[in-house]
Amino acid sequence: MTMKKMSQNYRITKQRQKILELLTNTREHPTADQIYKKFKGKFPRLSLGTVYRNLRILKEQGQIWELDFGTGLSHFDAVVHSHYHFICKNCRKIYDIRIPSIKELDDRVRTLTGFRIYSHRLEFFGLCDACNARQIVR
Amino acid sequence: MTMKKMSQNYRITKQRQKILELLTNTREHPTADQIYKKFKGKFPRLSLGTVYRNLRILKEQGQIWELDFGTGLSHFDAVVHSHYHFICKNCRKIYDIRIPSIKELDDRVRTLTGFRIYSHRLEFFGLCDACNARQIVR
DNA sequence: GTAGCTGCAAACCGTTTGCACGTGA
DNA sequence: TCACGTGCAAACGGTTTGCAGCTAC
């Protein structure tokens, strides 16, 4: 039997604050390393390990999401509202798709499988305007 | 300017055949290591590197898909027909959801963004019957 | 005071790669 | 024949972790 720690008393540190702030104020979906590099100039003592640890904690708290778009890296996103993503097959840029979560999808799968559905993830792949204009074929 | 090899002359080797066969005949979504372990008994000289190389080639040929379910590992799937997946948050088991691809989703995003949409990926998260019955809470 | 956090560096582990030998067409 | 594939082992790179000192509370 594994026991969960009774209660984690999270603290508010400058590092954690700054990381959450960054994720809240950007529409990009940065990786741990991108976050690290962004702060390295102002806080030269910051370590990549700290970034990873804080990302894990913020995720545990439900303040951010960890997303995988098949790029081999984890991308992070402040949880503002549920939304979908578009990934350009050429430039790998990730865009938010601003349509609300389609709850009927969950209902449909619940009916079909009988499973308890918590959420779903929907991602679109294709070419963004810029890459499409350049006639890139993949 | 990067040049792509003019034409790759793929060969049919026993290893490649066996891997594709395995993926075609299973409804699981094995990782590279699981495939490797499955064959290691019969073919003790098989190397994990070969499994990875063949998976890459089969993927290039469009015969299999590489899927990421946020487990930190790549899962592989023979391409029989397009379908969705359900991942149990507790036991991490992956199930096929047997509803056909909803093309209207692509149309909707195309209209909204103007991007060229090739495909989408849809995954559901929740608890499977077995885990739900055990009253597991996450 | 002390549990939680940090920087640092090493470890971890899934995946890729260089190399010499093997093999399918 | 010879380009492609294999086994083997080392390298790679994103992420995690052990540790000693630091800090929020």
Side-chain angles (χ1 to χ4, degrees), chain A residues 1 13 16 18 20 24 29 36-37 43 45 53 60 65 72 80 89 103 112 117 122 125 135:
Chain A
M1 190 77 182
T13 63
R16 190 164 307 159
K18 285 290 174 190
L20 182 56
T24 306
H29 306 76
Y36 171 67
K37 288 208 171 72
F43 312 102
R45 310 273 320 260
R53 269 184 294 229
E60 275 171 24
W65 282 336
V80 182
K89 284 270 198 187
K103 284 289 166 214
L112 186 70
I117 312 289
L122 178 54
F125 299 90
Q135 296 289 342

Side-chain angles (χ1 to χ4, degrees), chain A residues 11-14 32 48-49 52-53 72-74:
Chain A
R11 288 182 185 169
I12 300 168
T13 63
K14 284 187 198 73
L48 189 53
Y52 275 106
R53 269 184 294 229
L73 298 167
S74 282

Side-chain angles (χ1 to χ4, degrees), chain A:
Chain A
M1 190 77 182
T2 50
M3 295 292 284
K4 183 148 191 178
K5 222 180 295 185
M6 281 307 281
S7 91
Q8 178 97 20
N9 291 310
Y10 295 117
R11 288 182 185 169
I12 300 168
T13 63
K14 284 187 198 73
Q15 292 90 333
R16 190 164 307 159
Q17 248 172 345
K18 285 290 174 190
I19 290 170
L20 182 56
E21 206 175 286
L22 176 85
L23 287 173
T24 306
N25 294 330
T26 184
R27 291 188 52 182
E28 299 174 25
H29 306 76
T31 62
D33 195 59
Q34 288 170 337
I35 294 168
Y36 171 67
K37 288 208 171 72
K38 214 152 233 167
F39 286 126
K40 197 61 184 171
K42 278 186 210 160
F43 312 102
R45 310 273 320 260
L46 179 66
S47 87
L48 189 53
T50 296
V51 173
Y52 275 106
R53 269 184 294 229
N54 277 306
L55 289 171
R56 185 172 42 69
I57 287 168
L58 288 168
K59 188 179 148 193
E60 275 171 24
Q61 297 176 330
Q63 305 212 60
I64 63 171
W65 282 336
E66 181 175 5
L67 302 166
D68 193 301
F69 301 113
T71 59
L73 298 167
S74 282
H75 295 256
F76 296 88
D77 203 354
V79 178
V80 182
H81 51 74
S82 148
H83 58 266
Y84 303 137
H85 292 97
F86 171 89
I87 300 102
C88 177
K89 284 270 198 187
N90 184 61
C91 67
R92 311 302 300 177
K93 217 179 265 176
I94 297 154
Y95 298 81
D96 286 344
I97 299 296
R98 309 213 155 264
I99 52 178
S101 182
I102 305 169
K103 284 289 166 214
E104 296 78 49
L105 293 173
D106 291 350
D107 296 338
R108 195 164 163 190
V109 173
R110 184 178 301 113
T111 305
L112 186 70
T113 62
F115 293 163
R116 182 192 288 220
I117 312 289
Y118 290 157
S119 62
H120 65 258
R121 195 171 73 171
L122 178 54
E123 283 143 27
F124 296 86
F125 299 90
L127 289 183
C128 71
D129 274 345
C131 292
N132 199 26
R134 283 193 232 106
Q135 296 289 342
I136 283 152
V137 182
R138 279 260 158 150

